[in-house]
Amino acid sequence: MGSVAGVLEQRPRWRCDNGHDAGPVITPERARTEVAAAITIARARRLRRGDRCRVCDADLVMPVRRTVWAATLTDDERRAAVTLTYDVPATRCPDCGCNQVPTRSVDDLFAVLDRLLREE
């Protein structure tokens, strides 16, 4: 999707002891929350162009490069975990060194997640 690619190692499903399928282990809502917590996303400016660092608020002026970023999606109740590996554009803050995804790629980040978790 656009600027972001993703691979999900598996799509686990919850099955009862009798073998009945109870649906996906990781819900899309839970996955979105965990991806947002695992991947730092830059802050957009209101009036000027460019992004600011989510951590220290510095201007993000370094070039964007491709980065592989993993996010582990979990369901503590069912003791399940799955790893989602993203290939995303990222930039490093010149002041604090924090890697972060530019705001222009955020929609693609979640579109890839939704597509990988979609029931087929």
Side-chain angles (χ1 to χ4, degrees), residues 46-59:
R46 290 188 182 174
L47 301 176
R48 295 178 16 195
R49 292 175 34 148
D51 290 336
R52 299 189 67 85
C53 178
R54 172 78 53 194
V55 176
C56 71
D57 206 38
D59 290 337

Side-chain angles (χ1 to χ4, degrees), residues 5-22:
V7 176
L8 189 62
E9 69 180 21
Q10 63 180 342
R11 288 196 318 183
R13 298 186 65 80
W14 178 252
R15 299 195 190 288
C16 74
D17 293 336
N18 295 326
H20 298 106
D21 185 357

Side-chain angles (χ1 to χ4, degrees), residues 29-87:
E29 297 79 22
R30 173 77 183 238
R32 281 176 161 267
T33 301
E34 291 200 16
V35 165
I39 297 177
T40 306
I41 299 169
R43 287 184 346 156
R45 292 182 185 199
R46 290 188 182 174
L47 301 176
R48 295 178 16 195
R49 292 175 34 148
D51 290 336
R52 299 189 67 85
C53 178
R54 172 78 53 194
V55 176
C56 71
D57 206 38
D59 290 337
L60 296 177
V61 294
M62 294 183 78
V64 174
R65 76 234 183 280
R66 300 301 302 181
T67 301
V68 174
W69 208 315
T72 301
L73 312 177
T74 62
D75 184 335
D76 297 333
E77 187 177 302
R78 296 179 180 161
R79 291 178 281 156
V82 63
T83 300
L84 171 61
T85 305
Y86 276 111
D87 178 3

